[in-house]
Amino acid sequence: MELRQELRSRGFRLTTQRRKILDAVDQMVHATPDEIHAYLEERGDSVNVSTVYRTLELLQKLGLVTHAHLGHGPPTYHSTHVPEHVHLVCRTCETVLDAEPSVAAGMVQSLRADHGFDTELSHLTVFGTCSECRG
Amino acid sequence: MELRQELRSRGFRLTTQRRKILDAVDQMVHATPDEIHAYLEERGDSVNVSTVYRTLELLQKLGLVTHAHLGHGPPTYHSTHVPEHVHLVCRTCETVLDAEPSVAAGMVQSLRADHGFDTELSHLTVFGTCSECRG
DNA sequence: CTACTTGCAAACTCTTTGCACCATA
DNA sequence: TATGGTGCAAAGAGTTTGCAAGTAG
């Protein structure tokens, strides 16, 4: 199990809570800390909120999850098992769509060439209006 | 004065606070509500925090300011007088750079063509690593 | 056993809201 | 002077932290 190894190799312990939280992130695809907490609660796998926050930070340090900011609210986490993608957030209906990283290829190149800036694609959120809401 | 007209035409009043807050946003270029509040405080132009929040929301509705999310924290406001630009945020040193909207032209086209998605460029924040931090 | 983890509760930060008083038009 | 606006204080979300008790290794 990947989780166990990542943890042990850095002196951390594998606990029930850590396994449950990583499972939840894997299954939920896009989830905020609160949503993860609620999800586990529902399934009777109650884990304290502080533990959820501490664990997400740890899993992120281990490279097993990442997060993106999909608007005003709390950050959204996803498993790094899910293929990398760009988030499109509609500011009218709040819907979140995923797009292939390739759409941003040109921008990534320009930013590297013109600004020496190395873009983190999995963290990219594009705000705008979706086709539905453009009418 | 643009502000007065925008307000009056929709039945709002021009108050000292509203003028001060818009001035602050114009001058600070990138600022969170708290920073705006602190900035005014320092200059002896004390305005209550709730008024700062209420006013920013109003100014945004009037199209005089916009905001972007530059990370975990509160949203960052800027005057719409400032030319439209894309934000580059370094996740290592937290620095915020601005880039010309043209870097994203390709992405905007792809998203429109492939997803019918209309990108709001002034709201675009790209996370990554700046040249300094790449070493 | 021992050090790492968790749960709990309290503290904090950011933001919103209700209400009496104030000021613009 | 009639609304609309402000300040204040309190209430709320979301997140962090200190500490005693629990548990993996």
Side-chain angles (χ1 to χ4, degrees):
Chain A
M1 173 185 279
E2 188 186 0
L3 174 58
R4 162 167 248 120
Q5 288 164 16
E6 284 292 342
L7 288 168
R8 296 312 317 284
S9 70
R10 308 213 203 172
F12 296 111
R13 294 179 180 176
L14 176 59
T15 64
T16 327
Q17 288 89 336
R18 287 175 178 168
R19 203 157 10 75
K20 285 179 183 170
I21 292 170
L22 182 53
D23 282 353
V25 175
D26 273 338
Q27 267 149 56
M28 299 177 74
V29 189
H30 290 132
T32 64
D34 261 6
E35 287 166 353
I36 294 168
H37 177 245
Y39 175 86
L40 292 173
E41 202 75 21
E42 274 175 26
R43 316 183 17 152
D45 287 337
S46 157
V47 170
N48 192 277
V49 205
S50 350
T51 302
V52 173
Y53 280 100
R54 288 189 278 229
T55 302
L56 287 172
E57 195 177 344
L58 178 63
L59 294 177
Q60 190 169 234
K61 225 180 292 178
L62 299 178
L64 298 172
V65 306
T66 28
H67 75 268
H69 296 281
L70 267 43
H72 283 224
T76 298
Y77 287 84
H78 25 72
S79 164
T80 43
H81 293 139
V82 173
E84 187 171 55
H85 57 277
V86 165
H87 296 104
L88 310 181
V89 178
C90 176
R91 293 192 70 195
T92 303
C93 68
E94 308 268 281
T95 301
V96 179
L97 302 170
D98 292 347
E100 327 73 58
S102 61
V103 296
M107 182 175 76
V108 170
Q109 277 186 15
S110 299
L111 293 181
R112 176 152 235 150
D114 304 351
H115 300 266
F117 189 87
D118 191 20
T119 301
E120 218 169 279
L121 267 188
S122 65
H123 211 280
L124 184 63
T125 303
V126 183
F127 294 90
T129 313
C130 72
S131 54
E132 298 277 311
C133 293
R134 288 202 298 140
Chain B
M1 170 186 279
E2 189 185 359
L3 175 58
R4 163 167 247 120
Q5 288 163 15
E6 284 293 342
L7 288 167
R8 296 309 317 286
S9 71
R10 309 215 204 172
F12 297 111
R13 295 179 181 177
L14 175 59
T15 64
T16 328
Q17 289 89 338
R18 287 177 178 166
R19 206 162 359 81
K20 286 180 182 169
I21 292 170
L22 182 53
D23 282 353
V25 175
D26 273 338
Q27 269 150 53
M28 300 176 74
V29 188
H30 290 132
T32 65
D34 261 5
E35 288 165 354
I36 294 168
H37 177 246
Y39 175 85
L40 292 173
E41 202 75 21
E42 274 176 26
R43 317 185 12 155
D45 286 338
S46 158
V47 169
N48 192 276
V49 207
S50 350
T51 303
V52 173
Y53 280 100
R54 288 189 278 228
T55 302
L56 287 172
E57 194 177 345
L58 177 64
L59 294 178
Q60 190 170 234
K61 226 180 292 178
L62 299 178
L64 298 172
V65 306
T66 28
H67 76 268
H69 296 282
L70 269 41
H72 283 222
T76 299
Y77 286 84
H78 25 70
S79 164
T80 43
H81 294 140
V82 173
E84 185 170 57
H85 57 277
V86 164
H87 297 103
L88 310 182
V89 178
C90 176
R91 293 192 69 195
T92 303
C93 67
E94 307 269 280
T95 302
V96 179
L97 302 169
D98 292 347
E100 327 72 58
S102 61
V103 297
M107 183 175 75
V108 171
Q109 277 186 12
S110 298
L111 293 181
R112 177 151 233 150
D114 303 352
H115 299 266
F117 189 88
D118 190 21
T119 301
E120 219 169 279
L121 268 188
S122 64
H123 211 281
L124 183 64
T125 304
V126 183
F127 294 91
T129 313
C130 72
S131 52
E132 298 276 311
C133 292
R134 289 202 299 140

